[in-house]
Amino acid sequence: MSKKASKYVSKQPDEHGIIAWTDEENQIWHDLVARQLEIIPGKACDEYMEGLRLLDMPRDRIPQLHEINDVLQATTGWQVAQVPALIPFDEFFRLLANKQFPVATFIRTREEFDYLQEPDIFHEIFGHCPLLTNPAFAHFTHQYGKLGYAASPKERVYLARLYWFTVEFGLLKTAEGLRIYGGGILSSPGETRYALESDKPERQPLTPLDALRTPYRIDIMQPIYYTLENVDDLFAIADMDIMALVQEAMELGLFEPKFPPKNAA
């Protein structure tokens, strides 16, 4: 969801919708999945783990998009859509509004194995698609897309913060302890541990107005996470008058950042 230049180029499917991945790309997928599967049990929320079970992704190769689509269509009516490495906001919101989750069809290199600022196929498929089998998460993402598609550029900047603190970096405060549902955490081993085990970040109950007003940076461990009690809480948030909250957030302004400026970090 960006318009900056990317050094990666998405692979194009053939006439049958099949993408030809190299042996090295498949090996990188295997290594990323194997590492994360060792970490997430007891840390990822139950709904994510159930989605992972339903998708039943291959471990030894990157899944083809139709394999993911078959499961998403049967559970929530969603699909994934192949896109270039980076797409404009208009296209991002249009796809979500049509229950299509954008997936850039490239995978990170070994040099960026641990951290990648832009979303690759591992982040999108492993991080987000399991929860797209969940009705509450799928409904929230659909509503978000419809709102964003109709919003002004300035409103979209505020909406992006709500997406960041839910879809990308959301936590659940369950009876069993903190659990992760945000795909930005679930596709990062470092942030998976940091989000739950470190005493450095703040963890606050989510109120949408606060999330809309909270600055963030994409290139650091998050200084604050917002928590829900249940994934189903996303149903209620999706049905709020979010655009009225955006207007209120715009009038109130942003909170003071909890991180240093990028050039001083």
Side-chain angles (χ1 to χ4, degrees):
M1 190 175 72
S2 174
K3 290 178 280 188
K4 294 180 181 179
S6 171
K7 72 174 186 178
Y8 290 98
V9 177
S10 287
K11 287 176 170 280
Q12 297 300 310
D14 65 17
E15 65 272 21
H16 305 294
I18 302 300
I19 294 172
W21 299 99
T22 67
D23 289 345
E24 171 63 3
E25 288 166 333
N26 283 323
Q27 188 61 46
I28 288 171
W29 168 271
H30 169 272
D31 295 349
L32 286 165
V33 170
R35 181 173 67 170
Q36 203 61 1
L37 286 178
E38 288 184 3
I39 298 170
I40 61 173
K43 295 181 174 67
C45 68
D46 291 344
E47 292 83 358
Y48 174 87
M49 297 304 292
E50 173 60 12
L52 206 56
R53 184 191 69 79
L54 289 170
L55 287 171
D56 192 23
M57 300 178 208
R59 308 279 179 88
D60 61 339
R61 62 173 175 83
I62 300 171
Q64 296 295 332
L65 299 189
H66 71 83
E67 297 173 294
I68 304 299
N69 283 338
D70 289 346
V71 179
L72 294 184
Q73 181 65 48
T75 52
T76 58
W78 274 74
Q79 298 277 273
V80 292
Q82 187 272 339
V83 297
L86 295 169
I87 59 175
F89 282 110
D90 267 354
E91 180 65 3
F92 173 76
F93 286 116
R94 186 192 70 79
L95 287 168
L96 296 186
N98 286 283
K99 295 188 177 181
Q100 294 179 289
F101 198 81
V103 173
T105 46
F106 71 88
I107 196 162
R108 68 195 67 183
T109 62
R110 290 281 174 191
E111 290 72 29
E112 295 187 291
F113 190 80
D114 292 327
Y115 178 72
L116 186 70
Q117 285 195 28
E118 56 193 282
D120 67 349
I121 195 167
F122 174 73
H123 171 87
E124 304 291 27
I125 297 292
F126 189 89
H128 289 303
C129 285
L131 267 173
L132 279 172
T133 67
N134 177 267
F137 186 89
H139 177 64
F140 175 82
T141 308
H142 184 216
Q143 290 293 99
Y144 179 85
K146 291 191 290 184
L147 292 173
Y149 193 52
S152 70
K154 187 174 181 181
E155 289 168 336
R156 288 174 176 177
V157 174
Y158 279 79
L159 281 171
R161 298 187 185 100
L162 182 61
Y163 190 89
W164 185 262
F165 289 111
T166 53
V167 174
E168 292 291 357
F169 287 91
L171 296 179
L172 300 182
K173 195 171 185 179
T174 74
E176 293 76 36
L178 284 173
R179 296 292 185 269
I180 304 163
Y181 74 94
I185 309 175
L186 287 165
S187 58
S188 166
E191 194 120 18
T192 295
R193 295 189 179 99
Y194 174 84
L196 298 192
E197 298 169 0
S198 174
D199 59 3
K200 292 181 180 179
E202 294 180 32
R203 302 174 186 89
Q204 302 289 344
L206 176 74
T207 61
L209 182 59
D210 285 350
L212 291 165
R213 299 178 63 202
T214 302
Y216 65 86
R217 271 178 53 184
I218 68 171
D219 59 337
I220 59 173
M221 296 290 188
Q222 299 305 300
I224 183 169
Y225 300 96
Y226 286 109
T227 65
L228 299 175
E229 292 187 1
N230 194 292
V231 169
D232 284 348
D233 292 346
L234 291 170
F235 274 127
I237 296 172
D239 293 336
M240 289 179 177
D241 189 346
I242 293 175
M243 295 314 297
L245 293 174
V246 167
Q247 294 303 316
E248 187 176 353
M250 290 168 68
E251 291 171 10
L252 291 170
L254 298 181
F255 294 131
E256 191 71 23
K258 296 179 181 294
F259 49 80
K262 189 169 185 177
N263 58 7

